[in-house]
Every structure is written in C-alpha cells, then in structure tokens.
Amino acid sequence: MLTAVRQHTDNQPELALVLGSGLGALADEVDDAVAIPTSVLPGYPQSTVEGHAGKLVFGTLEGRKVLFIQGRVHLYEGHSPRALGVPVRLAHALGARHLILTNAAGGLNPDWSPGTLMLITDHINMAMTSPLAGPVEEGEVRFPDMSSAYDSEWMENAKNLAVRRNLTVQQGVYLWTAGPSYETPAEINFFRRIGADAVGMSTVPEAIQAAALGIKVLGISTITNLAAGLHGTSLNHDEVLEVGSEVREHLAAWVRAIVAVPLPAV
Ligand code: HPA
C-alpha cells in the first residue's frame, strides 16, 4: 500500500485529516494537491457511502504538508473492525504524528442547534469492538492508554482560535455506535444518561488506532441534527450532508487556523 502511494507522491505529511460526511470539500483548500483514489491502493478498504469520496489528497495547507483522508470507512459498510484502522496506520507509515478527525454527529444536548461545532473531549465506544483486535503490529501498543485520547493542549489551542474568530464551539463526549440505523429514542435517552453529548458512526476506531501508534488527536464534530426523540421529525442522511456543507466554510477557516499554528509536541 505504501509503495503504491509512493508511486504517486513523495509527500511526507506531518498531519493527516479525516473528513467526515459532507466535509470532504475541505480538501479543495489544499495547494499542490495530489489525489490518489483509494481503489488503486492494495489492501485499502473501500468507501461505499455518499459523502465519502474514496480518495487520499496530499498537499500543502498553510505551509504544512498534510494528507486529507476522504476515504473513511465504517463498520456498517461491512468492513472488519481492523480495517477501520487502516487509514490511520497508513498516515502513520507516511510520517504523520498528528491527526484531526472530523465527523457529522447527532446532538444529545437539546440546546445545540444543527450546525453547532463540538470539540471532542473524550469518547464512549458503544460499538464494543476495536481496530486493534488481532495481532499487534510493529510500533503499536497492545493495551493503549485511553485516558487522554484527545490531546488537551491541542484542544485548548483550537478553542482559543475559535474564540478569536467569533466562532461558538462546544465541547463534549462523542459516542460511537455500529450503525447504520440511527438510534432509537430509548437508546438516545440511555446515551444521555451515560454522559454522551454527540452520537455518530465513526471517529472512535481512528482515535483508538492513533492511541496505539502514539499519534496526537484533535476531534471535531459537526452537530448536523438533534438525535432521535429530541425533535419532532425523522432523521435522514441528506439532512446530515446538507448541514455539513452549510458549516463547511466556518469549519474550513477554523481548520486552516488550527493547521497554521505550531502543533503540540509529540
Ligand atoms: N446518529 C448517528 N450518526 C449520525 C447522526 C445521528 O443522529 N447524525 C449524523 N451522524
């Protein structure tokens, strides 16, 4: 897989960004872009969901070498838990030691309107599986510590940059479900009681994989809808994509600012 990437680019990204549903266009911001369809990479699991282009985009953003991963994969696509860690393993093999994870999520706080941005302070793994299940790869830890899975210094810096831009940003706990069905109101009620602020079908396996490799993580959720049972209407993926694209500009400007300042030391 690494050799196949190297046939297209010798870019050694410092930072990788995984783009969630409707947020893929952030990669359009990159200079000197080299886009590689993940279909040409042997062993890379393929994206099957609308809103995930199945591409790796290498380039420069704010003078920093970056890799945009538009090839996120999910458990509900039928991939093995282990496959969910492949994009992060590849980013690490290419040199990235910092990872920004973005996603679209349902909000569990009834006061948060669609379009709210949330820094992820911690997560809850309700899919009850892990990309680390299976043999330990070289350079990985068997039992990674998850007590600071999302880097607090980086989060603080990101929060300050948001404040400077007059951007309101919330902070909270992201909960991972296997999907693909949205949650029932009873599940949402349960998730609120156990401390979740946002719910979605991604991000957590990537954060676990990053922890095993010693990669620093910053997580950003776009709350695209209130979670099931917290509002009158039903949920659908089009709404998720639509709200994602509405906040894209704010999010893109904020991410640029985050990328422009020094990254926390590894
Ligand atoms: N639930 C799960 N995943 C999601 C949601 C939701 O309400 N919104 C966007 N992704």
Side-chain angles (χ1 to χ4, degrees):
M1 197 184 307
L2 203 52
T3 317
V5 170
R6 285 287 169 245
Q7 283 167 2
H8 294 84
T9 178
D10 58 5
N11 184 318
Q12 296 202 322
E14 265 184 88
L15 167 70
L17 300 94
V18 180
L19 303 176
S21 291
L23 307 173
L26 262 181
D28 297 345
E29 307 257 325
V30 92
D31 301 318
D32 309 322
V34 175
I36 307 176
T38 56
S39 56
V40 306
L41 304 178
Y44 194 103
Q46 297 308 309
S47 306
T48 62
V49 201
E50 192 189 340
H52 295 273
K55 274 193 296 186
L56 302 183
V57 182
F58 292 83
T60 309
L61 191 70
E62 299 294 338
R64 197 183 288 289
K65 289 200 168 132
V66 296
L67 162 60
F68 282 96
I69 299 173
Q70 289 178 309
R72 167 177 269 155
V73 285
H74 308 80
L75 206 54
Y76 63 75
E77 294 175 81
H79 296 295
S80 67
R82 201 164 173 83
L84 308 181
V86 168
V88 176
R89 283 199 172 106
L90 178 61
H92 182 268
L94 290 163
R97 296 295 178 268
H98 293 85
L99 178 66
I100 299 180
L101 299 174
T102 68
N103 62 49
L108 275 65
N109 182 331
D111 297 333
W112 292 356
S113 54
T116 298
L117 295 170
M118 184 192 92
L119 279 163
I120 302 175
T121 55
D122 204 349
H123 74 222
I124 297 173
N125 179 355
M126 279 302 286
M128 308 286 185
T129 186
S130 170
L132 307 179
V136 186
E137 300 259 331
E138 203 187 316
E140 293 186 10
V141 180
R142 173 75 297 182
F143 300 110
D145 174 39
M146 295 300 291
S147 53
S148 52
Y150 301 86
D151 190 70
S152 52
E153 179 190 341
W154 205 3
M155 204 173 339
E156 199 54 34
N157 294 347
K159 204 168 89 181
N160 292 336
L161 290 166
V163 170
R164 247 182 267 166
R165 311 187 71 80
N166 279 333
L167 202 62
T168 310
V169 172
Q170 305 292 346
Q171 288 182 278
V173 174
Y174 176 89
L175 181 145
W176 178 36
T177 66
S181 49
Y182 289 115
E183 303 69 37
T184 63
E187 286 164 345
I188 292 301
N189 192 19
F190 170 54
F191 296 164
R192 286 176 75 184
R193 285 160 188 251
I194 62 172
D197 299 291
V199 59
M201 306 173 195
S202 67
T203 303
V204 168
E206 295 144 8
I208 293 172
Q209 183 64 63
L213 289 162
I215 297 176
K216 298 236 176 210
V217 174
L218 182 75
I220 302 174
S221 290
T222 298
I223 305 296
T224 53
N225 55 276
L226 280 181
L230 298 181
H231 61 109
T233 58
S234 58
L235 297 178
N236 66 74
H237 189 55
D238 290 341
E239 178 189 359
V240 169
L241 294 180
E242 199 180 303
V243 175
S245 72
E246 277 166 23
V247 298
R248 199 176 60 209
E249 264 179 47
H250 292 302
L251 181 59
W254 184 32
V255 167
R256 260 186 184 282
I258 293 168
V259 172
V261 300
L263 301 174
V266 186

